[in-house]
Coordinates of all heavy atoms in Angstrom, one line a residue:
M15 N -7.0 -10.2 13.6 CA -8.0 -9.1 13.7 C -9.2 -9.3 12.9 O -10.4 -9.0 13.1 CB -7.3 -7.8 13.5 CG -8.2 -6.5 13.8 SD -7.5 -5.0 13.6 CE -6.4 -5.0 15.0
G16 N -8.9 -9.8 11.6 CA -10.0 -10.1 10.7 C -10.1 -9.1 9.5 O -9.2 -8.2 9.2
K17 N -11.3 -9.1 8.9 CA -11.5 -8.4 7.6 C -12.1 -7.0 8.0 O -13.2 -7.0 8.5 CB -12.5 -9.2 6.9 CG -12.4 -9.0 5.3 CD -13.2 -10.1 4.7 CE -14.6 -10.0 4.8 NZ -15.4 -10.9 4.0
I18 N -11.4 -6.0 7.6 CA -11.9 -4.6 7.9 C -12.1 -3.9 6.6 O -11.4 -3.9 5.6 CB -10.8 -3.8 8.6 CG1 -10.2 -4.6 9.8 CG2 -11.3 -2.5 9.2 CD1 -11.0 -4.6 11.1
I19 N -13.3 -3.3 6.4 CA -13.6 -2.5 5.3 C -12.7 -1.3 5.1 O -12.4 -0.6 6.1 CB -15.1 -2.1 5.2 CG1 -15.4 -1.6 3.8 CG2 -15.6 -1.2 6.3 CD1 -16.9 -1.6 3.5
A20 N -12.2 -1.1 4.0 CA -11.3 0.0 3.7 C -12.1 1.1 3.0 O -11.9 2.4 3.2 CB -10.0 -0.4 3.0
G21 N -12.8 0.8 2.0 CA -13.5 1.7 1.2 C -14.3 1.0 0.1 O -14.4 -0.3 0.1
K22 N -14.6 1.8 -0.9 CA -15.3 1.2 -2.1 C -14.3 1.2 -3.3 O -13.3 2.0 -3.4 CB -16.5 2.3 -2.6 CG -17.5 2.5 -1.5 CD -18.6 1.5 -1.7 CE -19.7 1.7 -0.7 NZ -20.4 0.5 -0.4
T23 N -14.5 0.2 -4.2 CA -13.7 0.2 -5.4 C -13.6 1.5 -6.1 O -12.6 1.9 -6.7 CB -14.1 -1.0 -6.3 OG1 -15.5 -0.8 -6.6 CG2 -14.0 -2.3 -5.7
S24 N -14.8 2.2 -6.1 CA -14.8 3.6 -6.8 C -13.9 4.6 -6.1 O -13.7 5.6 -6.8 CB -16.2 4.1 -6.9 OG -16.8 4.1 -5.6
D25 N -13.5 4.3 -5.0 CA -12.6 5.3 -4.2 C -11.1 5.3 -4.8 O -10.4 6.2 -4.6 CB -12.5 4.9 -2.8 CG -13.8 5.1 -2.0 OD1 -14.6 5.9 -2.4 OD2 -13.9 4.5 -1.0
I26 N -10.8 4.1 -5.5 CA -9.5 3.9 -5.9 C -9.4 3.6 -7.4 O -9.7 2.5 -7.8 CB -8.8 2.7 -5.1 CG1 -9.1 2.8 -3.7 CG2 -7.3 2.8 -5.3 CD1 -8.9 1.4 -3.0
S27 N -9.1 4.6 -8.2 CA -9.0 4.3 -9.7 C -7.8 3.5 -10.0 O -6.8 3.4 -9.3 CB -8.8 5.7 -10.4 OG -9.7 6.6 -9.9
P28 N -7.9 2.8 -11.2 CA -6.8 1.9 -11.6 C -5.4 2.9 -11.8 O -5.6 3.9 -12.2 CB -7.2 1.5 -13.1 CG -8.6 1.5 -13.0 CD -9.0 2.6 -12.1
G29 N -4.4 2.3 -11.2 CA -3.1 3.1 -11.2 C -3.0 4.0 -10.0 O -2.0 4.7 -10.0
K30 N -3.9 4.0 -9.2 CA -3.8 4.9 -8.1 C -3.7 4.1 -6.7 O -4.0 3.0 -6.6 CB -5.1 5.7 -7.9 CG -5.4 6.6 -9.1 CD -4.4 7.8 -9.2 CE -4.7 8.7 -10.5 NZ -3.7 9.4 -10.9
M31 N -3.2 4.9 -5.6 CA -3.2 4.4 -4.3 C -3.6 5.4 -3.4 O -3.5 6.6 -3.6 CB -1.7 3.9 -4.0 CG -0.7 5.0 -4.2 SD 1.0 4.4 -3.8 CE 2.0 5.9 -4.2
I32 N -4.3 4.8 -2.4 CA -5.0 5.8 -1.4 C -4.7 5.2 0.0 O -4.5 4.0 0.3 CB -6.5 5.8 -1.6 CG1 -6.8 6.5 -2.9 CG2 -7.3 6.4 -0.5 CD1 -8.2 6.8 -3.2
K33 N -4.6 6.2 0.9 CA -4.4 5.8 2.4 C -5.6 5.7 3.0 O -6.5 6.6 3.0 CB -3.5 6.8 3.1 CG -3.2 6.6 4.6 CD -2.2 7.5 5.1 CE -2.7 8.9 5.3 NZ -1.8 9.8 5.9
F34 N -5.9 4.6 3.7 CA -7.1 4.5 4.6 C -6.6 4.4 6.1 O -5.5 3.7 6.3 CB -7.8 3.3 4.3 CG -8.5 3.3 2.9 CD1 -7.8 2.8 1.8 CD2 -9.7 3.9 2.7 CE1 -8.4 2.8 0.6 CE2 -10.3 4.0 1.5 CZ -9.7 3.4 0.4
S35 N -7.3 4.9 7.0 CA -7.0 4.8 8.4 C -8.0 3.6 8.8 O -9.2 3.8 8.8 CB -7.1 6.0 9.1 OG -6.1 6.9 9.0
I36 N -7.3 2.5 9.1 CA -8.1 1.3 9.6 C -7.8 0.9 11.0 O -6.6 0.6 11.2 CB -7.9 0.2 8.6 CG1 -8.2 0.5 7.1 CG2 -8.8 -1.1 9.0 CD1 -7.8 -0.5 6.1
D37 N -8.7 1.1 11.8 CA -8.4 0.7 13.2 C -7.2 1.3 13.8 O -6.3 0.6 14.4 CB -8.4 -0.9 13.3 CG -8.9 -1.4 14.7 OD1 -9.8 -0.8 15.2 OD2 -8.3 -2.4 15.1
G38 N -6.9 2.6 13.5 CA -5.8 3.3 14.1 C -4.5 3.1 13.3 O -3.5 3.6 13.7
R39 N -4.6 2.3 12.2 CA -3.3 2.1 11.4 C -3.5 2.7 10.0 O -4.6 2.7 9.5 CB -3.2 0.6 11.2 CG -2.8 0.0 12.5 CD -3.2 -1.5 12.5 NE -2.2 -2.4 11.9 CZ -2.1 -3.7 12.1 NH1 -3.1 -4.3 12.8 NH2 -1.3 -4.4 11.5
D40 N -2.5 3.2 9.4 CA -2.5 3.8 8.1 C -2.1 2.7 7.1 O -1.0 2.3 7.2 CB -1.6 5.1 8.0 CG -2.1 6.2 8.8 OD1 -3.4 6.3 8.9 OD2 -1.4 7.1 9.2
I41 N -3.1 2.4 6.3 CA -2.9 1.3 5.3 C -3.0 1.9 4.0 O -3.9 2.7 3.6 CB -4.0 0.2 5.5 CG1 -4.0 -0.3 6.9 CG2 -3.7 -0.9 4.5 CD1 -2.8 -1.1 7.3
L42 N -2.0 1.5 3.1 CA -2.1 1.9 1.6 C -2.8 0.9 0.8 O -2.5 -0.3 1.0 CB -0.7 2.1 1.1 CG -0.4 2.5 -0.3 CD1 1.1 3.1 -0.3 CD2 -0.5 1.3 -1.3
V43 N -3.8 1.3 0.0 CA -4.4 0.3 -0.9 C -4.2 0.8 -2.3 O -4.5 2.0 -2.6 CB -6.0 0.2 -0.6 CG1 -6.6 -0.8 -1.6 CG2 -6.2 -0.2 0.9
A44 N -3.7 0.0 -3.2 CA -3.5 0.3 -4.5 C -4.3 -0.6 -5.4 O -4.5 -1.7 -5.2 CB -2.0 0.1 -4.8
N45 N -4.6 0.1 -6.6 CA -5.4 -0.5 -7.6 C -4.4 -0.7 -8.8 O -4.2 0.2 -9.4 CB -6.6 0.3 -7.9 CG -7.5 -0.3 -9.1 OD1 -7.0 -1.2 -9.8 ND2 -8.7 0.1 -9.3
I46 N -4.1 -2.0 -9.2 CA -3.2 -2.3 -10.2 C -4.1 -3.0 -11.3 O -4.4 -4.2 -11.1 CB -2.1 -3.2 -9.9 CG1 -1.3 -2.6 -8.7 CG2 -1.2 -3.4 -11.2 CD1 -0.7 -1.2 -9.0
D47 N -4.6 -2.2 -12.3 CA -5.5 -2.9 -13.3 C -6.6 -3.7 -12.7 O -6.9 -4.8 -13.2 CB -4.7 -3.8 -14.2 CG -3.6 -3.0 -15.0 OD1 -3.8 -1.8 -15.3 OD2 -2.4 -3.7 -15.3
G48 N -7.3 -3.2 -11.7 CA -8.4 -3.8 -11.2 C -8.1 -4.8 -10.1 O -9.1 -5.4 -9.6
E49 N -6.9 -5.1 -9.8 CA -6.6 -5.9 -8.7 C -6.0 -4.9 -7.5 O -5.3 -4.0 -7.8 CB -5.2 -6.8 -9.1 CG -5.7 -8.2 -9.5 CD -4.5 -9.1 -9.5 OE1 -3.8 -9.0 -10.5 OE2 -4.3 -9.8 -8.5
Y50 N -6.4 -5.3 -6.3 CA -6.2 -4.4 -5.2 C -5.2 -5.0 -4.2 O -5.2 -6.3 -4.0 CB -7.5 -4.2 -4.4 CG -8.5 -3.5 -5.3 CD1 -9.3 -4.1 -6.1 CD2 -8.6 -2.0 -5.2 CE1 -10.2 -3.4 -6.9 CE2 -9.4 -1.2 -6.1 CZ -10.2 -2.0 -6.9 OH -11.1 -1.3 -7.6
F51 N -4.2 -4.2 -3.8 CA -3.2 -4.6 -2.9 C -3.1 -3.7 -1.7 O -3.3 -2.5 -1.9 CB -1.8 -4.8 -3.7 CG -1.8 -5.6 -4.8 CD1 -2.2 -5.1 -6.1 CD2 -1.6 -7.0 -4.7 CE1 -2.2 -6.0 -7.2 CE2 -1.7 -7.8 -5.8 CZ -2.0 -7.3 -7.0
A52 N -2.7 -4.1 -0.6 CA -2.6 -3.3 0.6 C -1.2 -3.6 1.3 O -0.7 -4.7 1.4 CB -3.7 -3.6 1.6
T53 N -0.7 -2.5 1.8 CA 0.6 -2.4 2.6 C 0.5 -1.5 3.7 O -0.4 -0.5 3.6 CB 1.9 -2.2 1.8 OG1 1.9 -0.8 1.4 CG2 2.0 -3.0 0.5
D54 N 1.3 -1.5 4.7 CA 1.5 -0.3 5.6 C 1.8 0.9 4.7 O 2.5 0.8 3.8 CB 2.6 -0.7 6.6 CG 2.1 -1.5 7.8 OD1 0.9 -1.4 8.1 OD2 3.0 -2.1 8.4
D55 N 1.4 2.0 5.2 CA 1.6 3.3 4.5 C 2.8 3.9 4.8 O 3.3 4.8 4.1 CB 0.5 4.3 4.8 CG 0.5 5.5 4.0 OD1 0.6 5.4 2.7 OD2 0.6 6.6 4.6
S56 N 3.5 3.5 6.0 CA 4.8 4.2 6.5 C 6.0 3.6 5.9 O 6.3 2.3 6.0 CB 4.8 4.0 8.0 OG 5.9 4.6 8.5
C57 N 6.7 4.5 5.3 CA 8.1 4.0 4.6 C 9.0 3.5 5.7 O 9.1 4.1 6.9 CB 8.7 5.2 3.9 SG 10.3 4.8 3.1
T58 N 9.7 2.4 5.4 CA 10.6 1.9 6.5 C 11.9 2.5 6.5 O 12.8 2.2 7.4 CB 10.8 0.4 6.2 OG1 11.4 0.2 4.9 CG2 9.6 -0.5 6.3
H59 N 12.1 3.7 5.7 CA 13.3 4.4 5.9 C 13.0 5.5 7.0 O 13.7 5.3 8.0 CB 13.7 5.1 4.5 CG 14.8 6.0 4.6 ND1 14.8 7.3 4.2 CD2 16.0 5.8 5.2 CE1 16.0 7.9 4.4 NE2 16.8 7.0 5.0
S60 N 12.2 6.4 6.7 CA 12.0 7.5 7.8 C 10.6 7.8 8.0 O 10.2 8.9 8.6 CB 12.8 8.8 7.4 OG 14.1 8.6 7.6
G61 N 9.7 6.9 7.6 CA 8.3 7.0 8.0 C 7.4 7.8 7.2 O 6.2 8.1 7.5
S62 N 7.9 8.2 6.0 CA 6.9 9.1 5.1 C 5.7 8.2 4.7 O 5.7 7.0 4.7 CB 7.8 9.5 3.9 OG 6.8 10.0 3.0
S63 N 4.7 9.0 4.4 CA 3.5 8.3 3.9 C 3.7 7.9 2.4 O 3.8 8.7 1.5 CB 2.2 9.3 4.0 OG 1.2 8.8 3.4
L64 N 3.8 6.6 2.2 CA 4.0 6.1 0.9 C 3.0 6.5 -0.1 O 3.3 6.6 -1.3 CB 4.3 4.6 0.9 CG 5.5 4.1 1.6 CD1 5.5 2.6 1.8 CD2 6.8 4.5 0.8
S65 N 1.7 6.6 0.4 CA 0.7 6.9 -0.6 C 0.7 8.3 -1.1 O 0.1 8.6 -2.1 CB -0.7 6.8 0.1 OG -0.8 7.6 1.3
E66 N 1.6 9.2 -0.5 CA 1.9 10.5 -1.0 C 3.0 10.4 -2.1 O 3.5 11.5 -2.6 CB 2.3 11.4 0.1 CG 1.1 11.6 1.0 CD 1.3 12.5 2.1 OE1 2.4 13.1 2.2 OE2 0.5 12.5 3.1
G67 N 3.6 9.2 -2.4 CA 4.6 9.1 -3.3 C 4.0 8.8 -4.8 O 2.9 9.2 -5.0
K68 N 4.8 8.0 -5.5 CA 4.3 7.7 -6.9 C 4.1 6.2 -7.0 O 4.7 5.4 -6.3 CB 5.5 8.1 -7.8 CG 5.5 9.5 -8.3 CD 6.4 9.7 -9.4 CE 7.5 8.7 -9.6 NZ 8.6 9.1 -10.7
L69 N 3.2 5.9 -7.8 CA 2.9 4.5 -8.2 C 3.1 4.4 -9.6 O 2.5 5.0 -10.4 CB 1.4 4.2 -7.8 CG 1.0 2.7 -8.0 CD1 1.9 1.7 -7.2 CD2 -0.4 2.5 -7.7
D70 N 4.0 3.5 -10.1 CA 4.3 3.2 -11.4 C 4.2 1.7 -11.7 O 5.2 1.0 -11.2 CB 5.7 3.7 -11.9 CG 6.0 3.6 -13.3 OD1 5.1 3.3 -14.1 OD2 7.2 3.9 -13.7
G71 N 3.2 1.2 -12.3 CA 3.0 -0.3 -12.3 C 2.7 -0.6 -10.9 O 1.9 -0.1 -10.3
C72 N 3.5 -1.7 -10.5 CA 3.3 -2.0 -9.0 C 4.4 -1.5 -8.2 O 4.6 -1.9 -7.0 CB 3.1 -3.6 -8.9 SG 4.5 -4.4 -9.6
V73 N 5.2 -0.5 -8.7 CA 6.3 0.0 -7.9 C 5.9 1.4 -7.2 O 5.5 2.3 -7.8 CB 7.5 0.3 -8.7 CG1 8.7 0.9 -7.9 CG2 8.1 -1.0 -9.3
I74 N 6.0 1.3 -5.9 CA 5.7 2.5 -5.1 C 7.0 3.1 -4.8 O 8.0 2.5 -4.4 CB 5.2 2.3 -3.7 CG1 3.9 1.4 -3.9 CG2 4.9 3.4 -2.8 CD1 3.4 0.8 -2.5
T75 N 7.2 4.5 -5.1 CA 8.4 5.3 -4.9 C 8.1 6.2 -3.8 O 7.1 7.1 -3.9 CB 8.9 6.0 -6.2 OG1 9.0 5.0 -7.2 CG2 10.2 6.8 -5.9
C76 N 8.8 6.2 -2.7 CA 8.6 7.1 -1.6 C 8.8 8.6 -2.1 O 9.8 8.9 -2.7 CB 9.5 6.8 -0.4 SG 9.3 7.9 1.0
G77 N 8.0 9.4 -1.6 CA 8.0 10.9 -2.0 C 9.1 11.6 -1.3 O 9.5 12.6 -1.7
W78 N 9.7 11.0 -0.3 CA 10.8 11.7 0.5 C 12.1 11.5 -0.2 O 12.8 12.5 -0.5 CB 10.7 11.4 1.9 CG 9.7 12.1 2.7 CD1 8.6 13.0 2.3 CD2 9.6 12.2 4.1 NE1 7.9 13.4 3.2 CE2 8.4 13.0 4.4 CE3 10.3 11.7 5.2 CZ2 8.0 13.2 5.7 CZ3 9.9 11.9 6.4 CH2 8.8 12.7 6.7
H79 N 12.6 10.3 -0.2 CA 14.0 10.0 -0.6 C 14.1 8.9 -1.6 O 15.1 8.3 -1.9 CB 14.9 9.6 0.6 CG 14.7 10.5 1.7 ND1 14.0 10.1 2.9 CD2 15.1 11.8 2.0 CE1 14.0 11.0 3.7 NE2 14.6 12.1 3.3
A80 N 12.8 8.6 -2.3 CA 12.7 7.7 -3.4 C 13.1 6.2 -3.2 O 13.4 5.6 -4.2 CB 13.6 8.3 -4.6
A81 N 12.9 5.7 -2.0 CA 13.0 4.3 -1.8 C 11.8 3.6 -2.6 O 10.7 4.2 -2.8 CB 12.9 3.9 -0.3
E82 N 12.0 2.4 -3.1 CA 11.1 1.7 -3.9 C 10.6 0.4 -3.2 O 11.5 -0.4 -2.7 CB 11.6 1.4 -5.3 CG 11.8 2.7 -6.0 CD 12.3 2.5 -7.5 OE1 12.5 1.3 -7.9 OE2 12.5 3.4 -8.2
F83 N 9.4 0.1 -3.4 CA 8.8 -1.1 -2.8 C 7.7 -1.6 -3.8 O 7.1 -0.9 -4.6 CB 8.0 -0.8 -1.5 CG 8.8 -0.2 -0.4 CD1 9.0 1.3 -0.3 CD2 9.5 -1.0 0.5 CE1 9.8 1.9 0.7 CE2 10.3 -0.4 1.5 CZ 10.5 1.0 1.6
D84 N 7.5 -2.9 -3.7 CA 6.6 -3.6 -4.6 C 5.2 -3.5 -3.9 O 5.1 -4.1 -2.8 CB 7.0 -5.0 -4.8 CG 6.2 -5.8 -5.9 OD1 5.0 -5.4 -6.0 OD2 6.7 -6.7 -6.5
C85 N 4.2 -2.9 -4.4 CA 2.9 -2.8 -3.7 C 2.2 -4.2 -3.7 O 1.2 -4.3 -2.9 CB 2.1 -1.8 -4.4 SG 1.2 -2.4 -5.9
K86 N 2.7 -5.2 -4.5 CA 1.9 -6.5 -4.5 C 2.3 -7.3 -3.2 O 1.6 -8.1 -2.8 CB 2.4 -7.3 -5.7 CG 1.7 -6.7 -6.9 CD 1.9 -7.5 -8.2 CE 1.1 -7.0 -9.3 NZ 1.1 -7.8 -10.5
N87 N 3.5 -7.0 -2.7 CA 3.9 -7.9 -1.6 C 4.7 -7.1 -0.4 O 5.2 -7.6 0.5 CB 4.8 -9.1 -2.0 CG 5.9 -8.6 -2.9 OD1 6.4 -7.5 -2.8 ND2 6.4 -9.5 -3.8
G88 N 4.9 -5.8 -0.7 CA 5.6 -5.0 0.3 C 7.1 -5.1 0.3 O 7.8 -4.5 1.0
K89 N 7.6 -5.9 -0.7 CA 9.0 -6.1 -0.7 C 9.8 -4.8 -1.0 O 9.4 -4.1 -2.0 CB 9.5 -7.2 -1.8 CG 8.9 -8.6 -1.4 CD 9.8 -9.2 -0.4 CE 9.3 -10.6 -0.2 NZ 9.7 -11.0 1.2
F90 N 11.0 -4.7 -0.3 CA 11.8 -3.6 -0.6 C 12.5 -3.8 -2.0 O 12.9 -5.0 -2.2 CB 12.9 -3.5 0.4 CG 14.2 -2.8 0.1 CD1 14.1 -1.5 0.0 CD2 15.3 -3.4 -0.2 CE1 15.3 -0.7 -0.4 CE2 16.5 -2.7 -0.6 CZ 16.4 -1.3 -0.6
L91 N 12.6 -2.8 -2.8 CA 13.2 -3.0 -4.1 C 14.5 -2.3 -4.3 O 15.4 -2.7 -4.8 CB 12.2 -2.5 -5.3 CG 10.9 -3.3 -5.3 CD1 10.0 -2.6 -6.4 CD2 11.1 -4.8 -5.7
K92 N 14.5 -1.0 -3.9 CA 15.7 -0.1 -4.3 C 15.9 1.0 -3.4 O 15.0 1.7 -3.1 CB 15.4 0.3 -5.7 CG 16.7 0.9 -6.4 CD 16.3 1.0 -7.9 CE 17.0 2.2 -8.5 NZ 16.4 2.7 -9.8
F93 N 17.1 1.2 -3.0 CA 17.5 2.4 -2.1 C 19.0 2.3 -2.0 O 19.6 1.2 -2.1 CB 16.8 2.4 -0.8 CG 16.9 3.8 -0.1 CD1 16.3 4.9 -0.6 CD2 17.5 3.8 1.1 CE1 16.3 6.1 0.1 CE2 17.6 5.1 1.9 CZ 16.9 6.1 1.3
P94 N 19.7 3.3 -1.7 CA 21.2 3.1 -1.5 C 21.5 2.2 -0.4 O 22.6 1.6 -0.4 CB 21.7 4.6 -1.2 CG 20.7 5.5 -1.8 CD 19.4 4.7 -1.7
M95 N 20.7 2.0 0.6 CA 20.9 1.0 1.7 C 19.8 0.1 1.7 O 18.7 0.4 1.3 CB 21.2 1.7 2.9 CG 20.1 2.4 3.5 SD 20.6 3.4 4.9 CE 19.1 3.7 5.8
K96 N 20.0 -1.1 2.3 CA 18.9 -2.1 2.5 C 17.9 -1.6 3.5 O 18.2 -1.1 4.6 CB 19.6 -3.4 2.9 CG 18.5 -4.5 3.3 CD 18.3 -5.5 2.1 CE 17.4 -6.6 2.6 NZ 16.1 -6.5 1.9
L97 N 16.6 -1.7 3.1 CA 15.5 -1.3 4.0 C 14.7 -2.5 4.3 O 14.7 -3.5 3.6 CB 14.6 -0.2 3.4 CG 15.4 1.2 3.1 CD1 14.3 2.1 2.5 CD2 16.0 1.7 4.4
R98 N 13.9 -2.5 5.4 CA 12.9 -3.6 5.7 C 11.8 -3.5 4.7 O 11.6 -2.3 4.1 CB 12.3 -3.4 7.0 CG 13.2 -3.9 8.2 CD 12.5 -3.7 9.5 NE 12.3 -2.4 9.9 CZ 11.1 -1.8 10.0 NH1 10.0 -2.6 9.8 NH2 10.9 -0.6 10.3
D99 N 11.2 -4.6 4.4 CA 10.0 -4.6 3.6 C 8.9 -3.9 4.4 O 8.9 -3.8 5.6 CB 9.5 -6.1 3.4 CG 10.5 -6.8 2.6 OD1 11.4 -6.3 1.9 OD2 10.5 -8.1 2.7
V100 N 7.9 -3.4 3.6 CA 6.7 -2.9 4.4 C 5.7 -4.1 4.5 O 5.7 -5.0 3.7 CB 6.0 -1.7 3.6 CG1 6.8 -0.5 3.8 CG2 5.7 -2.0 2.2
T101 N 5.0 -4.1 5.6 CA 4.1 -5.2 5.8 C 2.9 -5.2 4.7 O 2.5 -4.1 4.4 CB 3.4 -5.2 7.1 OG1 4.5 -5.2 8.1 CG2 2.5 -6.3 7.5
S102 N 2.6 -6.3 4.1 CA 1.5 -6.4 3.2 C 0.3 -7.1 3.8 O 0.5 -8.0 4.7 CB 2.0 -7.0 1.8 OG 2.2 -8.3 2.0
Y103 N -0.8 -6.9 3.2 CA -2.0 -7.5 3.7 C -2.8 -8.0 2.6 O -2.8 -7.4 1.5 CB -2.9 -6.3 4.5 CG -2.1 -5.7 5.6 CD1 -1.4 -4.5 5.4 CD2 -2.1 -6.3 6.8 CE1 -0.7 -3.9 6.4 CE2 -1.3 -5.7 7.9 CZ -0.7 -4.6 7.7 OH 0.0 -3.9 8.7
K104 N -3.6 -9.0 2.9 CA -4.5 -9.6 1.9 C -5.7 -8.6 1.7 O -6.2 -8.1 2.7 CB -5.0 -10.9 2.4 CG -5.8 -11.7 1.3 CD -6.1 -13.2 1.8 CE -6.9 -13.7 0.7 NZ -7.7 -14.9 1.3
V105 N -6.2 -8.5 0.4 CA -7.3 -7.7 0.1 C -8.3 -8.5 -0.5 O -8.1 -9.4 -1.3 CB -6.9 -6.6 -0.9 CG1 -8.1 -5.7 -1.3 CG2 -5.8 -5.6 -0.3
V106 N -9.5 -8.3 0.0 CA -10.8 -9.1 -0.5 C -11.8 -8.1 -1.0 O -12.0 -7.2 -0.3 CB -11.4 -9.9 0.6 CG1 -12.6 -10.7 0.0 CG2 -10.3 -11.0 1.1
V107 N -12.3 -8.2 -2.3 CA -13.2 -7.3 -2.7 C -14.5 -8.1 -2.8 O -14.6 -9.2 -3.4 CB -12.8 -6.8 -4.2 CG1 -14.0 -6.0 -4.7 CG2 -11.5 -6.0 -4.2
E108 N -15.6 -7.7 -2.2 CA -16.9 -8.2 -2.2 C -17.9 -7.2 -2.7 O -17.9 -6.0 -2.0 CB -17.3 -8.7 -0.9 CG -16.5 -10.0 -0.5 CD -16.7 -10.4 0.9 OE1 -17.6 -9.8 1.6 OE2 -16.1 -11.5 1.3
S109 N -18.7 -7.4 -3.7 CA -19.4 -6.4 -4.3 C -18.6 -5.2 -4.7 O -17.6 -5.4 -5.4 CB -20.6 -6.0 -3.4 OG -21.4 -7.1 -3.1
E110 N -18.9 -4.0 -4.1 CA -18.0 -3.0 -4.5 C -17.1 -2.5 -3.2 O -16.6 -1.4 -3.2 CB -18.8 -1.8 -4.9 CG -19.4 -2.0 -6.3 CD -20.4 -1.0 -6.7 OE1 -20.5 0.0 -6.1 OE2 -21.1 -1.3 -7.7
N111 N -17.1 -3.4 -2.2 CA -16.4 -3.1 -1.0 C -15.0 -3.7 -1.0 O -14.9 -4.8 -1.3 CB -17.2 -3.6 0.2 CG -18.5 -2.9 0.3 OD1 -18.6 -1.7 0.2 ND2 -19.6 -3.7 0.5
V112 N -14.0 -2.9 -0.6 CA -12.7 -3.3 -0.5 C -12.4 -3.6 1.0 O -12.4 -2.7 1.8 CB -11.6 -2.3 -1.1 CG1 -10.2 -2.8 -0.9 CG2 -12.0 -1.9 -2.5
F113 N -12.0 -4.9 1.3 CA -11.7 -5.2 2.7 C -10.2 -5.5 2.7 O -9.7 -6.1 1.8 CB -12.4 -6.5 3.1 CG -14.0 -6.4 3.2 CD1 -14.7 -6.6 2.0 CD2 -14.5 -5.9 4.3 CE1 -16.1 -6.4 2.2 CE2 -15.9 -5.7 4.4 CZ -16.7 -6.0 3.3
V114 N -9.6 -5.2 3.9 CA -8.2 -5.6 4.1 C -8.2 -6.5 5.3 O -8.9 -6.2 6.4 CB -7.3 -4.3 4.4 CG1 -6.0 -4.7 4.8 CG2 -7.4 -3.4 3.2
E115 N -7.4 -7.6 5.2 CA -7.4 -8.5 6.3 C -6.1 -8.2 7.2 O -5.0 -8.3 6.8 CB -7.3 -10.0 5.8 CG -8.6 -10.5 5.2 CD -8.6 -11.9 4.9 OE1 -7.6 -12.7 5.1 OE2 -9.6 -12.3 4.5
L116 N -6.4 -7.7 8.4 CA -5.4 -7.3 9.2 C -5.0 -8.4 10.2 O -5.8 -9.2 10.5 CB -5.6 -6.1 10.0 CG -6.0 -4.8 9.2 CD1 -6.3 -3.6 10.2 CD2 -4.7 -4.5 8.4
Ligands
FES228 S1 11.2 8.3 4.1 FE1 10.9 7.0 2.4 S2 12.7 7.0 1.4 FE2 13.1 8.2 3.1

């Protein structure tokens, strides 16, 4: 699909994550010390919006039942049962624009 603009770097403070709707998909973009990472926003457990959970370092904790995922690569980290990883996407920053490659 290509490179789609998600927003401006100023939209996402360090240590924060934000949901962007890009081309009908909800994508979470996180800023970890000035590096940006993107994953699907939907938790692979029951579909909660991960961006409404917590971000601690690069660990996203789902706000519903506390499943954990790595925002750098979408890998499942922790939950009482094994969950699928969330899809991760490459992020490119040009000037002050944050692009996600879908
Ligand atoms: S919906 Fe995310 S842990 Fe249940």
Side-chain angles (χ1 to χ4, degrees):
M15 183 178 288
K17 203 167 77 172
I18 312 276
I19 188 160
K22 301 267 182 206
T23 52
S24 56
D25 295 335
I26 319 163
S27 313
K30 300 288 181 200
M31 54 184 175
I32 291 190
K33 175 171 72 178
F34 293 95
S35 288
I36 304 173
D37 211 35
R39 293 152 85 162
D40 289 335
I41 307 288
L42 174 161
V43 180
N45 176 346
I46 309 295
D47 298 328
E49 265 194 279
Y50 295 84
F51 301 94
T53 68
D54 275 336
D55 185 58
S56 180
C57 180
T58 56
H59 178 231
S60 288
S62 172
S63 172
L64 289 172
S65 58
E66 293 174 13
K68 274 193 335 191
L69 182 64
D70 185 10
C72 57
V73 177
I74 301 167
T75 303
C76 179
W78 280 11
H79 315 105
E82 293 181 0
F83 301 90
D84 187 333
C85 79
K86 291 188 173 181
N87 52 23
K89 293 281 182 210
F90 163 72
L91 297 175
K92 196 166 143 196
F93 196 63
M95 63 191 200
K96 172 100 175 101
L97 299 177
R98 279 185 297 111
D99 300 338
V100 289
T101 303
S102 66
Y103 303 95
K104 185 171 178 203
V105 177
V106 178
V107 178
E108 290 175 0
S109 303
E110 292 172 7
N111 297 313
V112 179
F113 295 92
V114 175
E115 290 189 0
L116 297 179

